[in-house]
Amino acid sequence: MFTKILGWFWLIMGVLYLIKPQLLQWRLSKKTSRKVRRFLLLLTFFLVFSLGGVFLKLNGFWPKAILFLGILGVFRIIFALRAKTSKKLIEWLAKQSLVFFRIFALIYIGIGLVMLNLFK
């Protein structure tokens, strides 16, 4: 049930960002780096834990390997967001074109659809 709620959340956010990509760009340019770092960290944990539950239920070696790489990626992101490079990363993201944010929105939609379709 929780995965379906997360799936709908990801789907709605993806559609919102697809319709108005300047909303995400504006939020990145206006927020302080500390707030954005917290948001990115929360988003990363949210994605790993929600998709981690899905990968644990799948059989085989590859889903477990992908989950392990995801967990390693989380630790990597935690250390990267604590560094001074996070400010440069946020500034770079805020300067990207709207096409970049629309592609990001399609990724959101894809994640939401995967989460909804795995638990029918």
Side-chain angles (χ1 to χ4, degrees):
M1 179 68 178
F2 182 67
T3 308
K4 283 190 176 191
I5 294 170
L6 290 177
W8 280 109
F9 173 77
W10 283 87
L11 190 64
I12 291 169
M13 292 302 293
V15 170
L16 177 68
Y17 290 148
L18 190 62
I19 294 171
K20 295 192 111 197
Q22 63 271 21
L23 179 68
L24 181 61
Q25 186 179 28
W26 177 79
R27 288 192 59 96
L28 282 174
S29 65
K30 295 296 177 187
K31 292 288 183 182
T32 62
S33 63
R34 187 174 185 184
K35 288 182 183 179
V36 172
R37 281 187 287 174
R38 286 183 184 167
F39 172 74
L40 289 176
L41 185 62
L42 179 66
L43 181 70
T44 303
F45 279 127
F46 202 59
L47 177 64
V48 167
F49 287 120
S50 61
L51 291 179
V54 172
F55 281 117
L56 283 176
K57 292 182 181 181
L58 297 175
N59 296 327
F61 169 74
W62 290 110
K64 307 299 189 277
I66 292 171
L67 177 63
F68 179 72
L69 290 176
I71 291 171
L72 287 178
V74 167
F75 288 118
R76 171 108 169 115
I77 289 172
I78 289 171
F79 291 123
L81 290 177
R82 290 179 159 258
K84 291 182 180 180
T85 58
S86 65
K87 186 175 180 180
K88 292 180 183 177
L89 175 68
I90 292 166
E91 290 173 358
W92 178 80
L93 283 172
K95 292 179 185 176
Q96 295 302 312
S97 68
L98 294 181
V99 174
F100 176 80
F101 292 106
R102 286 203 170 119
I103 292 170
F104 192 71
L106 290 174
I107 292 170
Y108 260 76
I109 292 171
I111 291 170
L113 289 174
V114 165
M115 291 175 80
L116 286 174
N117 286 330
L118 284 177
F119 290 102
K120 280 189 172 183

